Amino acid sequence: MTNEPEIPFRCRVLYEDERIIVVDKPHFVPTTPRGMWYRQSALIRLREHYGEPQITPAHRLDRLTAGIVVFVRDPACRGAYQMLFQNHEARKTYECLAPAAPVTRPHTGTITRLNAPAVFPLLRCSHIVKDRGRLQAYEIPGEPNARTVIELPDACGMTADTPDATALPVGLRRYVLHPVTGKTHQLRVHMSSLGLPIMGDPFYPTLKPYGPDDFSTPLQLVARRLEFTDPISGRDMCCISSIPLSR
């Protein structure tokens, strides 16, 4: 594909063995070939680097979201690792930057304060729909199919895993997100629905005009920590992204 745009960021391998490869995926890099991107995707880069065309993702991360992704290199183990994620047995922790503002009541779904009367942590539940050919996912009334726990880090805005200790700009706050389910754009939709849209999001709350990627303003969302028990070895795994959140 001669017109494929160059993405000037590289995936860093955090762990590998004979079965899996765990990478820290930068913002803008697609997990798998999609649209105009093929060789720039994390999957094709790994296949070419290792010379292993059988490498397959165990799960996916949005192109605009950075953080931990697991790839399977042994075809015999592919199903075991993919089921780990399909059954929500892997524990995911995300971090984002969003406005330091009061939570607004969404038009549908529920908010449950988990440590009332404190606002956070809270559980956001709603029914999210993503239509083929439509860039934005959206919420409709109905039985919830998407659940996210949203909390604040400690008072200085840091967590034990946060790699950057820079002060945040006025009006912004760091949030820690725990997806209980895995609907498309779930975290972005849920934060936007609370009046706390993630900084740098070109989709929510308003779809911005399409244009070339602005690498200077990435979506401020990182899949910071991934924990799981390896279904083959039984080893407890904990992988942490070092990609900073910054504006």
Side-chain angles (χ1 to χ4, degrees), residues 88-110:
H88 307 294
E89 294 172 356
R91 298 169 294 283
K92 302 176 182 179
T93 302
Y94 289 71
E95 283 188 328
C96 73
L97 293 185
V103 170
T104 60
R105 181 164 295 281
H107 70 277
T108 187
T110 62

Side-chain angles (χ1 to χ4, degrees), residues 106 108-112 123-127 139 144-148 190:
T108 187
T110 62
I111 301 173
T112 303
L123 172 64
R124 170 70 176 132
C125 301
S126 70
H127 190 98
E139 294 173 307
N145 65 357
R147 296 171 176 82
T148 304
H190 276 172

Side-chain angles (χ1 to χ4, degrees), residues 88-204:
H88 307 294
E89 294 172 356
R91 298 169 294 283
K92 302 176 182 179
T93 302
Y94 289 71
E95 283 188 328
C96 73
L97 293 185
V103 170
T104 60
R105 181 164 295 281
H107 70 277
T108 187
T110 62
I111 301 173
T112 303
R113 297 185 180 188
L114 300 179
N115 190 24
V119 176
F120 297 98
L122 64 79
L123 172 64
R124 170 70 176 132
C125 301
S126 70
H127 190 98
I128 294 179
V129 176
K130 177 67 168 65
D131 298 330
R132 182 179 295 274
R134 177 172 175 169
L135 294 177
Q136 290 176 307
Y138 58 97
E139 294 173 307
I140 62 172
E143 184 69 22
N145 65 357
R147 296 171 176 82
T148 304
V149 174
I150 303 169
E151 62 180 348
L152 301 179
D154 62 32
C156 66
M158 309 298 290
T159 70
D161 298 332
T162 303
D164 57 322
T166 57
L168 297 180
V170 174
L172 291 183
R173 175 185 282 170
R174 197 180 305 272
Y175 296 85
V176 180
L177 314 176
H178 304 277
V180 182
T181 55
K183 305 300 289 186
T184 299
H185 294 180
Q186 174 180 316
L187 302 181
R188 298 159 67 181
V189 170
H190 276 172
M191 289 296 289
S192 181
S193 75
L194 298 174
L196 305 172
I198 298 174
M199 302 304 295
D201 195 335
F203 286 13
Y204 307 97

Side-chain angles (χ1 to χ4, degrees), residues 14-239:
L14 301 181
Y15 173 83
E16 64 175 292
D17 58 28
E18 66 275 16
R19 296 179 299 275
I20 62 173
I21 303 169
V22 181
V23 305
D24 200 0
K25 184 188 82 65
H27 295 99
F28 301 105
V29 175
T31 302
T32 59
R34 183 178 180 87
M36 68 181 72
W37 294 278
Y38 179 75
R39 294 194 65 192
Q40 297 293 308
S41 68
L43 175 62
I44 300 305
R45 287 178 176 182
L46 284 175
R47 286 178 175 177
E48 292 182 346
H49 175 76
Y50 286 96
E52 300 176 19
Q54 73 276 12
I55 292 174
T56 305
H59 62 118
R60 285 171 173 78
L61 205 57
D62 287 345
R63 186 177 78 87
L64 298 182
T65 303
I68 305 298
V69 185
V70 178
F71 292 85
V72 186
R73 65 197 317 181
D74 182 352
C77 302
R78 184 178 301 161
Y81 287 99
Q82 290 178 340
M83 290 305 295
L84 187 73
F85 290 91
Q86 291 178 23
N87 293 335
H88 307 294
E89 294 172 356
R91 298 169 294 283
K92 302 176 182 179
T93 302
Y94 289 71
E95 283 188 328
C96 73
L97 293 185
V103 170
T104 60
R105 181 164 295 281
H107 70 277
T108 187
T110 62
I111 301 173
T112 303
R113 297 185 180 188
L114 300 179
N115 190 24
V119 176
F120 297 98
L122 64 79
L123 172 64
R124 170 70 176 132
C125 301
S126 70
H127 190 98
I128 294 179
V129 176
K130 177 67 168 65
D131 298 330
R132 182 179 295 274
R134 177 172 175 169
L135 294 177
Q136 290 176 307
Y138 58 97
E139 294 173 307
I140 62 172
E143 184 69 22
N145 65 357
R147 296 171 176 82
T148 304
V149 174
I150 303 169
E151 62 180 348
L152 301 179
D154 62 32
C156 66
M158 309 298 290
T159 70
D161 298 332
T162 303
D164 57 322
T166 57
L168 297 180
V170 174
L172 291 183
R173 175 185 282 170
R174 197 180 305 272
Y175 296 85
V176 180
L177 314 176
H178 304 277
V180 182
T181 55
K183 305 300 289 186
T184 299
H185 294 180
Q186 174 180 316
L187 302 181
R188 298 159 67 181
V189 170
H190 276 172
M191 289 296 289
S192 181
S193 75
L194 298 174
L196 305 172
I198 298 174
M199 302 304 295
D201 195 335
F203 286 13
Y204 307 97
T206 303
L207 185 63
K208 294 179 173 57
Y210 177 79
D213 288 327
D214 182 353
F215 296 132
S216 67
T217 57
L219 174 70
Q220 295 299 294
L221 177 64
V222 174
R224 180 65 67 204
R225 174 188 283 255
L226 179 66
E227 300 169 271
F228 61 94
T229 299
D230 190 294
I232 307 300
S233 69
R235 177 185 176 188
D236 288 333
M237 304 289 293
C238 179
C239 305

